[in-house]
Amino acid sequence: MDMFVLNLLNGISFGAILFLLASGLTIMFGVMGILNLAHGALYMVGAYLGWTVAVKYRLNFGLALLAAGLTAGLVGLAIERGFLRHLYKQQNEQVLLTFGFVYIVTNLSLWIWGPIARAPFTAPFLFGSFRIGDLAYPLSRIAIIIVGGLLAIGLWWLQDKTRIGAILRAGMDYKEITMALGINLPRVSIFVFFLAAFIAGAAGVIGAPLFGAHLGIALDVLLLAVIVIIVGGVGSIQGALLASMLIGVIDAFGKALFPQFAMFTMYLLMIIILLIRPSGLLGRRV
Amino acid sequence: MWKEGQKLKRRGFRLTGAGLLALLFLAMLLIWPCAKPAEGQPLKIGAIFDLTGDFSFYGLDFKDAVEFALKEAGGQVAGRPVKLVIEDGASDAAISLDKAKKLVEHDKVHIIIGPLFSHFAMGIAPYYAEKKVPNIALLLHPKEMTKFEWVFTANGPLVGSGYAAGLYAYEKMGARTAAIVGVDYVAGHRIVGGFIQAFKDKGGKVVQEQWAPLGTVDYAPYIAAIKRDVDVIGAWLIPQVPFLMQYADFGLKMPLIAPWADLREEQMQELGDRILGKYGAAVYTWLLDNPTNKKFVAAFEAKYKRKPTMNDAAGYEAASIALAAFKATKGDTSGEALRKAIQAMEIDLPSGHVTYAPSRFGIRNMYIFEAKRISGKMVWAPVHSYRQDPDKLPLLPQR
């Protein structure tokens, strides 16, 4: 019973990070049609910046979170306004461009922070574990679950209960009609892009207890996010949530029960989903 | 589009251009400075360090330490100047091999230090044998390295540190049951395998083995699965720090020993109280109490304003062995003479007194450390040592 609970919590906390990553990526793709391969690099920038603020200078963890999100948001915005904007509707070029930015951002990070990987870190008030009887579970991971949950609620509220959310949903399905109704879709898109990038950067700090910060993380984390949006369905935030929880829990139990297949469980799931429902669990039917 | 005459003119230009370039290239080949091996020429030590790429944090330490060793020797030995040529292996096997070839054939070095990683080094070892250049290893190598007669590994085989950790866990920590978590690649299987072997040899039981892929950062599944009722945990992962952090975060209290304690100073501080009271086996800590080390630590700290790490010591010791070899042959720089000199060497290094066994691994001390807080800083404090004869250590089965 203990093992079951531990693995379940591991799975949910890993899933929460996956959701943080995938939600931004899927919004960008769904709303703006941009597959931003630099999304993982934004996560990395957030993680490194969070490390600098929280670990190197020992400042407030909330400040680290904010700084990480803002920096990633600005970097993302710069990429969009400066470059992606000019490649409207040219998907191949967008992919190449954002991939190129992965290398640029990674090497800039190497320049600024050096080659040494930064160990997982978290806020001092989250050190230690939460005990229920015999069971102990890291506070930092419980915090991840809570934050992930809050974000999920926040994004759902944004999508379902606000005007911007309505514009987003309309813009995803009927771009021309939305614009014809006099709505400034490009302006909304920029806001959305910034939001998605902000979430990616903040995810770098929230996910820090699991991943730390190192140069390879830009692509590692991108791969995870892409798998989630494939399984969940592109453009669907609910899909991203479902997929990330599914993948997180299956990955945790997979590693515990079949450790030899530790590296495969996630991909196996993705392949099965692609065979049965190519558009993803909650994606729009292509 | 081009008129006939212009076409010929363009072709003429192209031919002349190509010809000039070829001449230039030829000239470069002829006048490119190539070292000539002759008497009175400087003694040359070549080194392949990973200065860029994934393992660059090792390379940069080694580079500092080797340069420090040379400077300490006054840049000369037995009356002749010593020249150091460092090349960047870039954390890549093919590039390391290329650099080895460059060092041997172009720079005509007499001894080569590195590369660090066993799988790179094993790829280059046949080349060293062919060219008769002795190779001094930086840290540990698998026992199979003994089949390469030109590679010398003073720090011993990989199985050695794990074996010492296993002995210590049974003999001194009083453990009778153990669970291990190891990194799932060759070095992990040898080092942690050494722990398992020693523990079993003494009569203990290893009740659980978990192997995590190289580069795993999130060890939660493994930590969740560790059997809670064992006497000791033997754990070595790459990366090690996240494991130790998560071990503490999950509230695990079982005693732990790392069969290879390769944490750097800043990592020790990052871990802080989370590794207090944990043990590790390794070849060096700046707290080792012998005259050679005391002198080394003082001089190193004076120059670099920090205490030397195991990597620093490894680089320094490799260079020291090279310099001692030059001294022993009294200026004879032939490969055979140097090789004989290294094989016969008895030397006092910061990590203790070292000689070479016939297998070309070092007969030396393997230390057990405990993580303690001294003057506010986390350090590896030596608590025990084993005199290690590499030829008496088991050759572990291939996994």
Side-chain angles (χ1 to χ4, degrees), chain B residues 49 61-63 65-67 69 113 138-139 155 309-321:
Chain B
F49 299 144
D61 278 350
F62 292 145
K63 179 169 176 295
V66 166
E67 286 170 347
I113 299 176
L138 284 159
L139 281 170
N155 285 308
T309 66
M310 180 155 63
N311 294 338
D312 295 316
Y316 178 83
E317 292 184 359
S320 302
I321 292 173

Side-chain angles (χ1 to χ4, degrees), chain A residues 169-228:
Chain A
R169 281 181 284 130
M172 252 195 257
D173 292 331
Y174 306 107
K175 194 180 227 129
E176 281 78 16
I177 297 181
T178 314
M179 288 173 73
L181 286 171
I183 291 173
N184 193 345
L185 202 56
R187 183 112 58 88
V188 174
S189 298
I190 294 174
F191 164 72
V192 164
F193 201 93
F194 178 82
L195 180 69
F198 182 94
I199 294 174
V205 174
I206 298 167
L210 264 64
F211 298 124
H214 59 94
L215 294 169
I217 216 174
L219 287 174
D220 290 347
V221 135
L222 174 72
L223 184 60
L224 291 174
V226 167
I227 292 174
V228 172

Side-chain angles (χ1 to χ4, degrees), chain A residues 3 115 119-120 129 138 141 209-210, chain B residues 56 217-218 220 224 241 245-246 249-250:
Chain A
M3 282 289 293
S129 41
R141 283 178 193 248
L210 264 64
Chain B
S56 51
V217 190
D218 182 12
V241 173
M245 282 187 167
Q246 287 156 13
D249 281 346
F250 273 81

Side-chain angles (χ1 to χ4, degrees), chain A residues 51 131 166 254:
Chain A
W51 180 88
R131 303 196 97 97

Side-chain angles (χ1 to χ4, degrees), chain B residues 235-257:
Chain B
W236 185 62
L237 293 314
I238 295 179
Q240 178 82 316
V241 173
F243 177 83
L244 292 169
M245 282 187 167
Q246 287 156 13
Y247 188 86
D249 281 346
F250 273 81
L252 294 187
K253 298 268 183 280
M254 296 86 78
L256 185 147
I257 183 164

Side-chain angles (χ1 to χ4, degrees), chain B residues 72-329:
Chain B
E72 205 191 40
Q76 61 163 358
V77 97
R80 280 169 71 171
V82 182
K83 191 160 174 278
L84 176 67
V85 188
I86 299 181
E87 286 294 336
D88 180 10
S91 309
D92 179 272
I95 296 181
S96 298
L97 178 57
D98 277 345
K99 295 298 168 79
K101 288 184 177 166
K102 182 222 173 232
L103 286 169
V104 171
E105 292 166 30
H106 179 74
D107 298 296
K108 306 256 190 295
V109 298
H110 303 115
I111 295 183
I112 283 199
I113 299 176
L116 168 69
F117 283 90
S118 307
H119 48 305
F120 297 177
M122 283 185 115
I124 307 179
Y127 176 75
Y128 291 142
E130 186 202 334
K131 295 292 180 181
K132 300 209 189 318
V133 177
N135 174 228
I136 298 177
L138 284 159
L139 281 170
L140 309 176
H141 277 322
K143 267 201 131 192
E144 286 85 340
M145 194 58 107
T146 191
K147 69 180 180 226
F148 297 111
E149 294 178 356
W150 288 79
V151 180
F152 291 86
T153 315
N155 285 308
L158 288 163
V159 66
S161 67
Y163 202 83
L167 289 178
Y168 189 80
Y170 192 93
E171 292 172 355
K172 303 286 184 210
M173 290 170 79
R176 297 292 176 262
T177 57
I180 66 101
V181 190
V183 54
D184 197 0
Y185 89 118
V186 174
H189 283 289
R190 295 301 162 81
I191 290 179
V192 184
F195 174 90
I196 295 174
Q197 189 69 48
F199 201 71
K200 283 188 182 161
D201 283 350
K202 298 293 303 190
K205 268 194 80 191
V206 177
V207 301
Q208 183 192 40
E209 288 184 31
Q210 294 191 86
W211 299 95
L214 182 62
T216 306
V217 190
D218 182 12
Y219 292 102
Y222 304 97
I223 294 177
I226 291 180
K227 291 207 190 305
R228 305 296 199 251
D229 54 0
V230 292
D231 297 327
V232 72
I233 306 287
W236 185 62
L237 293 314
I238 295 179
Q240 178 82 316
V241 173
F243 177 83
L244 292 169
M245 282 187 167
Q246 287 156 13
Y247 188 86
D249 281 346
F250 273 81
L252 294 187
K253 298 268 183 280
M254 296 86 78
L256 185 147
I257 183 164
W260 179 239
D262 60 343
L263 293 174
R264 310 173 80 249
E265 291 309 299
E266 48 189 48
Q267 292 175 314
M268 301 279 288
Q269 309 322 317
E270 250 180 315
L271 284 166
D273 284 334
R274 281 173 282 205
I275 42 159
L276 205 57
K278 308 269 190 299
Y279 294 89
V283 291
Y284 182 81
T285 174
W286 67 266
L287 282 164
L288 284 177
D289 189 6
N290 65 64
T292 318
N293 188 43
K294 291 237 174 310
K295 190 160 155 271
F296 168 60
V297 172
F300 189 90
E301 192 171 16
K303 176 146 170 66
Y304 292 108
K305 310 281 178 274
R306 61 182 178 84
K307 301 272 192 254
T309 66
M310 180 155 63
N311 294 338
D312 295 316
Y316 178 83
E317 292 184 359
S320 302
I321 292 173
L323 292 170
F326 285 134
K327 203 162 176 189
T329 63

